[in-house]
Amino acid sequence: MKEEILFTIDAPYRPALPVRGWRFGNPEGRDLAVMGALRGNEIQQMYVCGRLISALQTAESEGALSPDCGILVVPCANQFSMNVGRRFWAADNTDINRMFPGYDQGETTQRIAARLFGALQGYRWGVHLTSFYLPGDHLPHVRMMDTGYQQVEEAAAFGLPYILVRSPQAYDTTTLNYNWQIWNTQAFSLYSTSTECADDDAARLTVEAILRFLAVKGLLKRPYFPAEGQPRILRENALHTVLSHAGGLMLNRRAPGDRVEAGELLGEIIDPCTCRSLEQLRADCRGRVFFCHRAQLIDGHEVAFRLLPE
């Protein structure tokens, strides 16, 4: 294992912040790059990287890594926002994951994206541990962009039960996942259950998925637990979205992974001052909860739940 400073970020009113990476195997190898937190509230994503670094260090010390493999893990590239409790870049509220491939003469987040993409470019596979644009919890799954370059069957090596393929919108073209694929890296976004807090069970599941991927690809010489059945491949537009119509306090009655029947109560929105029920959110189909809104406050016409129909 080798720890190195990939580059530093100038931040207002404080010393420059180093962006560190941990390399395993052949330092010149370009097999797998894993990117953690790009946003200041992605605690779980950084935690998963920390646990992955520990697992890879053990594997390397035991001689279980292929001698020619090259692995890079970058736990965090936005310590500034994390330190001050902001999701996006604290100085101007811009999202680093909407700035790729970056511009080294541009605004701060464009320059960060450019230097980071330079460090992550050229790998055969790329894994981004990311979070959804809305506050909430997901079923663990692999997500890929439909760029025309993706090889969906490769995502099965993670052993997660769901592979979700997303047709990119205009704003997706500036994400790390999209640009990795355009620049000849097979890119996967792994969604853990939580974001703003460290979930030990979900982190273990995600680390096991990455180690399983390495073993399937011949980079890790260690027995691994095979996946339980074939993953279900689905398009994002196959999910049913349950929108809120009222704004208020959100009380969830179901969690990701729960099976529900059509008409079953998913959650309730209440008046924050009187606790009067404003809206009951119900399933529009039989299936499984794939995503649920987690923040206590919810606005009207916001995604409250997403259901995977059966």
Side-chain angles (χ1 to χ4, degrees), residues 64-85:
L65 286 182
S66 170
D68 296 327
C69 79
I71 301 171
L72 171 66
V73 182
V74 184
C76 182
N78 196 352
Q79 302 97 312
F80 179 31
S81 297
M82 196 167 284
N83 288 344
V84 298

Side-chain angles (χ1 to χ4, degrees), residues 142-160:
V142 186
R143 185 174 298 215
M144 299 186 74
M145 292 281 188
D146 185 0
T147 61
Y149 298 97
Q150 79 281 359
Q151 298 176 16
V152 177
E153 64 279 2
E154 294 232 44
F158 291 101
L160 293 176

Side-chain angles (χ1 to χ4, degrees), residues 19-31:
V19 174
R20 289 185 168 87
W22 277 257
R23 296 190 186 276
F24 299 88
N26 181 1
E28 303 301 320
R30 293 291 185 273
D31 290 300

Side-chain angles (χ1 to χ4, degrees), residues 106-124:
E107 300 295 333
T108 302
T109 45
Q110 290 177 307
R111 288 186 277 116
I112 294 171
R115 300 189 70 180
L116 187 59
F117 196 60
L120 297 173
Q121 199 174 342
Y123 282 82
R124 184 176 180 185

Side-chain angles (χ1 to χ4, degrees), residues 32-179:
L32 176 69
V34 180
M35 181 66 233
L38 288 177
R39 294 155 176 159
N41 68 335
E42 292 180 339
I43 305 298
Q44 173 75 348
Q45 288 67 29
M46 183 173 63
Y47 177 59
V48 169
C49 283
R51 291 195 55 163
L52 178 62
I53 288 169
S54 177
L56 290 174
Q57 183 179 16
T58 300
E60 189 173 50
S61 66
E62 294 174 351
L65 286 182
S66 170
D68 296 327
C69 79
I71 301 171
L72 171 66
V73 182
V74 184
C76 182
N78 196 352
Q79 302 97 312
F80 179 31
S81 297
M82 196 167 284
N83 288 344
V84 298
R86 299 283 296 276
R87 176 169 168 82
F88 298 133
W89 185 249
D92 60 7
N93 203 39
T94 54
D95 185 356
I96 296 173
N97 199 35
R98 292 289 186 268
M99 295 294 169
F100 288 97
Y103 174 47
D104 59 6
Q105 301 298 315
E107 300 295 333
T108 302
T109 45
Q110 290 177 307
R111 288 186 277 116
I112 294 171
R115 300 189 70 180
L116 187 59
F117 196 60
L120 297 173
Q121 199 174 342
Y123 282 82
R124 184 176 180 185
W125 299 290
V127 171
H128 185 195
L129 303 167
T130 188
S131 61
F132 199 47
Y133 72 98
L134 293 173
D137 297 338
H138 271 97
L139 273 177
H141 67 282
V142 186
R143 185 174 298 215
M144 299 186 74
M145 292 281 188
D146 185 0
T147 61
Y149 298 97
Q150 79 281 359
Q151 298 176 16
V152 177
E153 64 279 2
E154 294 232 44
F158 291 101
L160 293 176
Y162 302 103
I163 301 171
L164 190 148
V165 181
R166 172 178 171 79
S167 296
Q169 305 299 312
Y171 53 81
D172 290 314
T173 61
T174 56
T175 62
L176 175 58
N177 185 303
Y178 185 93
N179 282 275

